[in-house]
Amino acid sequence: MLLDGAAKALRVALMKPAMARPIPFSAPPSAAFIRALDIIGSKWAILALVCLADGPKRFNEVGRALTGISRRMLSITLRSLEQYGVVTRTVHATRPLKVVYALTVLGETAVPAACALTDWLEAHMSELEEAVERLG
């Protein structure tokens, strides 16, 4: 009977992904936490944070820096970051309108984590691509 229980536990453990471990949270993440992570942790949001780290930029400047992003997705990303208080959007009443985006104090606290992630990706890009080729 004990052996059957151990075998069952082993089967269950083997069915879980290799990296599956309990997340070290004091409490399970709330729906609001997951929603915020989904927005702030998106690929374009991370890259926008890194782009704005060296100072305020106009909409088109951010768009040029984020190669491959559509104007629509850039707008959605920046508005989402603004909604979470990470970015400010300032409209200058000039002709044409001048819209400038900048990090808030809260946004500046996220820059080290965003830069660490992008630095890690750049350092390990060849290994990541090899893994995709091997498995893909």
Side-chain angles (χ1 to χ4, degrees):
M1 183 85 170
L2 181 62
L3 187 56
D4 289 341
K8 183 178 177 184
L10 180 60
R11 274 196 308 273
V12 169
L14 290 175
M15 289 170 43
K16 293 180 180 177
M19 295 299 289
R21 285 181 276 211
I23 299 173
F25 289 114
S26 57
S30 67
F33 177 92
I34 299 297
R35 209 170 32 254
L37 183 61
D38 187 40
I39 290 169
I40 295 171
S42 75
K43 68 179 177 183
W44 295 121
I46 299 280
L47 294 172
L49 287 172
V50 172
C51 175
L52 293 170
D54 63 347
K57 291 189 176 45
R58 293 180 72 168
F59 181 86
N60 286 331
E61 288 178 285
V62 178
R64 281 191 297 273
L66 304 184
T67 307
I69 192 170
S70 68
R71 291 179 62 83
R72 180 177 182 277
M73 182 52 71
L74 178 59
S75 179
I76 290 169
T77 300
L78 291 171
R79 284 180 200 250
S80 296
L81 292 173
E82 181 184 14
Q83 179 184 4
Y84 277 93
V86 177
V87 167
T88 59
R89 178 179 185 261
T90 306
V91 179
H92 299 275
T94 59
R95 286 213 146 134
L97 282 179
K98 180 179 176 183
V99 180
V100 177
Y101 292 89
L103 293 174
T104 62
V105 173
L106 177 63
E108 289 173 359
T109 65
V111 169
C115 288
L117 180 59
T118 57
D119 290 347
W120 180 85
L121 285 168
E122 287 176 354
H124 297 283
M125 204 62 227
S126 61
E127 296 165 70
L128 295 168
E129 288 172 341
E130 287 172 12
V132 168
E133 284 181 25
R134 198 172 44 249
L135 297 174

